[in-house]
Amino acid sequence: MSSRTLRKPYVSQLKTARLAGTFRLKQPSSPSNVNPNLLSIKSYKGFGGSVLSTVSSSQQRLNENASGRNVKARSVCLIRDAAQSREWIAKAKEVIVKELCRFINASNCLLVEQPAGACVYKYFIGKGNNGGLIKQCMNSRPWWVLVDESKLMEANFIWSQGKIQDYINKSPTVPIKDKKINHELIGKSLTCQESFKDISNSLKNIDFNLLGFDSITLSPHYLSFEENFTSNPSETKILNKLEHNFNLSDKKSLYKNMKEYYFSVGENVFEYLPLTFYIDSKGGEFGEFLLTAQKAPNQLWIVKPGENTNRGNGIIITNKIDTVISEVSSVFKAQVLNSFVVQKYIEKPFLINKRKFDLRLYSLCTSVNGVFQAYFYQEGYLRTACKVYNSNDMDKFIHLTNDAVQNKCEDYGKWENGNKLSYNDFQRYLDMKKINVKFVDQVIPKLKKIVQDTVKATWMKMNKEMRFLGFEVFGYDFLLDANFKPWLLEVNTNPCLELSATNLARIIPAMLENTLKLIIDPLFPEPKHLNRRSSIKSSVTLPENKFELIFHQDSSR
């Protein structure tokens, strides 16, 4: 069954048109005696007596592309010049952040009070998984103060590796409320009136759309509403975990939810997930697995714990049915609650220099005031194996690309820095090998579609108590087969944030800062009393965004 392609976001269409200096209009069908390749959009007035231009459309497109590149180059240069002024950056950043918060809160039907007096917010960071990186992000917000574990329940914001149920229980539930669309912001970009004086002392307006916020505000999924609730930020509490995140991050729950979702929309789950069998104390799909395995006795299988594991823990790979049976047999004992997921191994993956790799990318799910939204981070990375691929060798350094596995191999980092590649690195590899695939244009939309499907399949279950606030960053792992078809392997509730490679030192901090911009800053506005001097010291760069809004629970797209 062919996969559906996700509609190209408005932001891409509008940005392409803006940078090219024109809009590509759909022309009516031309008469049979007219060559459509000779039509010029500029001169086209319809076929009722209009004069047709003989200028080649291909030449015009070249001219338009050149013009678009010049416009973008001028805008980039202007931003670069403006960024030399620390004072201008501080002012522009303040305006941009406030504008973004206005858009985000409107999409959640929320009005946030401006804190009065000497308001200081408190945050707590749990141990492990590079909590220092979160602290670094929070340090750029002088109106926040770090507290220790003794004041954990007083914190307005907690970043933790696991759920803290007592803290979650403090978040009130939200009754179902009517929502009234507010058309003021729909279809609009962020605006910033902070002009900049260039070298000639002329005032110039900066094109802030180059900073990436259109991928949210001009997304076809963006909706804004009149507020139906007013929140007091000094009393607001939020944890970086959704209460029932296991519906997305547990391997058994992910499989069950995706199977149920794809059945409901008339699609085959095994077009997106490898052939999978769920096995629990009641048997589950154990019988179906045996029937399938007996028909292909040499098939390679991967066995994973059904819940509460990540980083390659508990995974085995085998082509022996008896080994699979032995591994899963423990669940058949009385009162055993754990389970297993058995998947058909993708035996023909696309390889980089004869080695296997997978893709790690991110989504952000937010639940605010009873409104669930999801964002796709536009930059991820590849995790490579240390050893040459061989489907007949069960060496884990060949098959499991998790960093927690590969960093124990003596060849770790030998071929790539930290066994990681960026999307650009991957594209250069494809170009060098003369493989006619454009990763960003051809593969990313397929990955995005699957991520969006996972949200559609689980969003109602992840916050079924309708808590007032919650959010989570999820790490998605995909495999590309030899035909560049993506397969969803798993979703992680606690993706690794360690900066174990040069590429990660760029990607992960930016992703986390983007996350805080979308969920923390709108809920906790900067107090008016704050000394602007301390804020200016921390505002050395303009905020950029790489999250794309791909889901809003009230959007029909």
Side-chain angles (χ1 to χ4, degrees):
M1 182 181 298
S2 61
S3 61
R4 297 175 300 172
T5 56
L6 191 62
R7 180 179 177 183
K8 188 176 182 181
Y10 291 160
V11 56
S12 299
Q13 299 172 9
L14 294 177
K15 187 176 290 186
T16 300
R18 181 172 60 253
L19 295 180
T22 183
F23 285 89
R24 297 180 64 183
L25 302 176
K26 183 178 179 180
Q27 301 173 354
S29 301
S30 58
S32 58
N33 61 340
V34 177
N35 182 352
N37 291 326
L38 296 179
L39 292 179
S40 168
I41 292 177
K42 185 182 294 185
S43 65
Y44 176 70
K45 299 179 182 178
F47 290 104
S50 65
V51 179
L52 297 176
S53 170
T54 58
V55 177
S56 167
S57 62
S58 61
Q59 181 61 49
Q60 181 173 344
R61 283 194 297 271
L62 289 174
N63 294 337
E64 290 171 349
N65 289 339
S67 173
R69 287 193 295 271
N70 290 336
V71 170
K72 184 174 182 180
R74 286 195 296 271
S75 298
V76 170
C77 288
L78 194 56
I79 287 181
R80 186 183 299 121
D81 291 343
Q84 301 302 311
S85 168
R86 185 183 294 268
E87 183 178 357
W88 180 86
I89 288 179
K91 292 179 180 179
K93 180 177 180 179
E94 182 181 5
V95 174
I96 291 171
V97 170
K98 285 183 178 179
E99 268 287 277
L100 177 62
C101 291
R102 185 166 72 101
F103 274 85
I104 297 299
N105 286 335
S107 70
N108 291 316
C109 314
L110 191 64
L111 176 65
V112 178
E113 294 178 348
Q114 178 67 36
C119 175
V120 176
Y121 309 120
K122 302 174 183 178
Y123 73 98
F124 172 81
I125 299 176
K127 296 179 180 179
N129 200 10
N130 204 2
L133 189 55
I134 307 300
K135 182 180 178 181
Q136 181 179 325
C137 291
M138 297 302 291
N139 281 344
S140 67
R141 295 161 171 81
W143 51 97
W144 282 90
V145 59
L146 179 66
V147 298
D148 60 30
E149 192 168 359
S150 66
K151 297 183 179 180
L152 176 120
M153 300 306 289
E154 299 177 14
N156 299 99
F157 166 43
I158 293 178
W159 183 281
S160 171
Q161 287 199 71
K163 286 184 288 187
I164 304 174
Q165 193 60 46
D166 288 343
Y167 190 85
I168 291 175
N169 291 340
K170 281 185 170 288
S171 180
T173 57
V174 181
I176 297 176
K177 308 172 189 174
D178 292 333
K179 300 188 185 83
K180 185 176 181 180
I181 292 285
N182 183 344
H183 294 279
E184 178 187 355
L185 299 180
I186 296 177
K188 304 291 180 60
S189 297
L190 264 64
T191 58
C192 179
Q193 303 303 320
E194 284 296 325
S195 300
F196 169 72
K197 283 188 177 182
D198 65 9
I199 193 171
S200 64
N201 212 33
S202 300
L203 282 175
K204 299 289 185 180
N205 290 322
I206 306 293
D207 183 7
F208 287 101
N209 297 324
L210 292 174
L211 299 177
F213 296 103
D214 278 358
S215 61
I216 294 173
T217 64
L218 295 185
S219 164
H221 304 281
Y222 180 80
L223 291 173
S224 67
F225 303 91
E226 295 183 4
E227 61 267 14
N228 61 20
F229 187 82
T230 301
S231 72
N232 179 351
S234 63
E235 297 176 358
T236 298
K237 295 183 182 295
I238 188 168
L239 175 71
N240 68 317
K241 297 295 174 188
L242 294 170
E243 186 168 9
H244 301 288
N245 55 11
F246 67 86
N247 282 286
L248 184 56
S249 61
D250 275 3
K251 297 171 181 64
K252 66 168 183 182
S253 298
L254 175 66
Y255 165 59
K256 285 183 168 184
N257 288 323
M258 296 305 288
K259 184 178 181 180
E260 178 182 310
Y261 169 74
Y262 282 125
F263 178 80
S264 71
V265 297
E267 294 194 67
N268 182 1
V269 64
F270 299 130
E271 284 291 310
Y272 306 100
L273 276 67
L275 181 64
T276 303
F277 302 94
Y278 166 64
I279 301 171
D280 62 7
S281 60
K282 296 181 180 179
E285 297 172 336
F286 184 64
E288 290 93 327
F289 163 72
L290 288 179
L291 288 174
T292 302
Q294 288 165 0
K295 294 176 183 177
N298 296 319
Q299 172 64 48
L300 204 57
W301 300 97
I302 183 166
V303 184
K304 308 175 182 179
E307 52 275 303
N308 301 325
T309 59
N310 59 7
R311 303 187 180 184
N313 291 321
I315 293 177
I316 67 165
I317 299 168
T318 182
N319 57 4
K320 299 183 184 300
I321 300 176
D322 290 344
T323 302
V324 175
I325 295 173
S326 175
E327 184 69 18
V328 304
S329 61
S330 62
V331 302
F332 299 133
K333 297 177 182 179
Q335 297 182 338
V336 172
L337 299 178
N338 63 306
S339 64
F340 284 95
V341 166
V342 180
Q343 290 183 318
K344 180 181 178 182
Y345 191 83
I346 305 298
E347 293 190 58
K348 294 184 178 180
F350 184 80
L351 304 176
I352 292 179
N353 293 321
K354 300 181 180 181
R355 290 174 292 116
K356 186 181 173 182
F357 70 93
D358 71 0
L359 299 164
R360 162 58 60 88
L361 48 90
Y362 302 98
S363 79
L364 167 65
C365 292
T366 66
S367 183
V368 177
N369 191 28
V371 178
F372 201 99
Q373 301 190 67
Y375 305 82
F376 176 89
Y377 199 68
Q378 296 168 341
E379 189 168 13
Y381 57 94
L382 283 64
R383 307 183 300 184
T384 61
C386 290
K387 295 189 175 182
V388 171
Y389 181 73
N390 181 351
S391 61
N392 295 316
D393 188 337
M394 302 300 115
D395 189 334
K396 62 183 178 181
F397 296 131
I398 293 174
H399 300 282
L400 301 182
T401 57
N402 310 65
D403 205 54
V405 174
Q406 293 295 326
N407 64 16
K408 296 178 176 62
C409 181
E410 60 183 8
D411 289 332
Y412 181 72
K414 180 178 180 180
W415 314 109
E416 299 88 19
N417 181 269
N419 281 46
K420 308 294 186 299
L421 292 170
S422 68
Y423 290 169
N424 287 337
D425 294 333
F426 185 40
Q427 187 62 58
R428 283 192 288 270
Y429 176 83
L430 297 176
D431 294 343
M432 180 184 68
K433 295 293 184 180
K434 301 189 185 305
I435 299 171
N436 188 24
V437 171
K438 300 301 180 186
F439 179 75
V440 170
D441 294 335
Q442 295 173 253
V443 179
I444 290 293
K446 297 177 182 178
L447 300 172
K448 194 187 306 177
K449 187 265 189 207
I450 298 174
V451 172
Q452 185 187 49
D453 287 346
T454 66
V455 176
K456 290 179 178 179
T458 60
W459 72 271
M460 286 190 288
K461 298 178 180 181
M462 284 197 286
N463 188 29
K464 64 181 180 180
E465 268 81 15
M466 294 287 287
R467 299 288 182 189
F468 176 57
L469 290 176
F471 79 97
E472 188 152 355
V473 173
F474 291 98
Y476 284 70
D477 296 339
F478 285 90
L479 182 75
L480 294 182
D481 68 18
N483 296 316
F484 279 88
K485 180 180 177 64
W487 297 91
L488 176 60
L489 302 180
E490 61 186 47
V491 182
N492 298 277
T493 180
N494 190 33
C496 182
L497 301 179
E498 299 295 336
L499 308 183
S500 57
T502 304
N503 283 320
L504 304 195
R506 174 180 55 83
I507 294 171
I508 293 178
M511 182 274 295
L512 292 173
E513 179 61 29
N514 277 197
T515 296
L516 299 182
K517 285 278 192 299
L518 294 181
I519 185 65
I520 298 300
D521 292 346
L523 296 172
F524 303 94
E526 178 181 339
K528 290 183 178 179
H529 81 282
L530 187 72
N531 185 339
R532 295 305 309 159
R533 184 180 302 276
S534 64
S535 182
I536 290 174
K537 287 181 180 179
S538 66
S539 303
V540 295
T541 58
L542 285 173
E544 294 184 69
N545 173 66
K546 290 188 178 181
F547 271 117
E548 177 184 340
L549 179 63
I550 60 170
F551 179 83
H552 188 294
Q553 70 176 59
D554 295 310
S555 172
S556 59
R557 300 183 187 279

